[in-house]
Amino acid sequence: MAKTSKTAAGGIAINIGISEKDRAAVAQGLSRLLADTYTLYLTTHNFHWNVTGPMFNTLHAMFMVQYTELWNAVDPIAERIRSLGHVAPGSYAAYGKLASVADAPAEPPRALEMVRILVQGHEAVARTARGLFAAVEKAGDEPTADLLTQRLTVHEQTAWMLRSLLQE
């Protein structure tokens, strides 16, 4: 049986069947996933605004679908962190320390370079999500496992679709 524990925020005991140590490990991994997702969201939205060239209409519309999906993903990740009794990071400084996804270039790249950067970003987020499974399985945290599976499906499929644009 998992030990009942208190959180630093408010001192209310959490007894959901996952130990404090395991909840902390999962929340830390989810914080990295949140930072990666938000950073990729921001880059994708940036590219939506700044794409140019013959593929403008296609990429502008595709990037909008992608950044909207990413925007809708950040809340469930942050709320899962809160459900585990931890504070969700929410600043650029925190995301800069936690993210494995590179920030967008200062100057907008050409359209196909944008696609390459987004492929790398989606693959990085998939690696972050996949790397969290060991801690989630150890904790017996099925809701987080479900969230990770959903995120992996989106990021792997999006990376595949973007890679397809780069093929000759």
Side-chain angles (χ1 to χ4, degrees), residues 19 50 72 137 163:
S19 73
N50 292 301
N72 289 324
E137 288 173 5
R163 277 192 306 272

Side-chain angles (χ1 to χ4, degrees), residues 5 28 35-36 97 107 116 131 149:
S5 61
Q28 182 179 23
D36 278 355
K97 292 176 185 171
E107 292 295 319
R116 279 186 194 86
T149 300

Side-chain angles (χ1 to χ4, degrees), residues 45-68:
H45 210 152
N46 174 334
F47 290 173
H48 165 79
W49 293 326
N50 292 301
V51 69
T52 59
M55 294 179 63
F56 171 81
N57 284 331
T58 301
L59 293 179
H60 185 74
M62 182 190 321
F63 294 162
M64 183 170 69
V65 169
Q66 291 173 3
Y67 79 67
T68 300

Side-chain angles (χ1 to χ4, degrees), residues 58-123:
T58 301
L59 293 179
H60 185 74
M62 182 190 321
F63 294 162
M64 183 170 69
V65 169
Q66 291 173 3
Y67 79 67
T68 300
E69 194 287 327
L70 290 162
W71 177 253
N72 289 324
V74 296
D75 207 49
I77 297 167
E79 288 180 356
R80 185 65 197 149
I81 294 167
R82 296 297 297 143
S83 296
L84 294 168
H86 291 267
V87 174
S91 70
Y92 290 120
Y95 292 158
K97 292 176 185 171
L98 291 166
S100 67
V101 174
D103 195 7
E107 292 295 319
R110 296 171 121 350
L112 288 180
E113 184 59 20
M114 288 177 175
V115 172
R116 279 186 194 86
I117 290 168
L118 293 178
V119 167
Q120 293 168 353
H122 281 281
E123 290 176 345

Side-chain angles (χ1 to χ4, degrees), residues 4-5 8 14-15 23 25 27 29 31 41 43-44 54 60 62 67 71 95-96 98 121 130 139 144 154 157-158 160:
T4 301
S5 61
I14 297 175
N15 186 6
R23 285 187 292 107
S31 293
Y41 155 76
T43 298
T44 306
H60 185 74
M62 182 190 321
Y67 79 67
W71 177 253
Y95 292 158
L98 291 166
R130 185 167 274 107
T144 300
V154 168
Q157 185 177 43
T158 303
W160 156 63

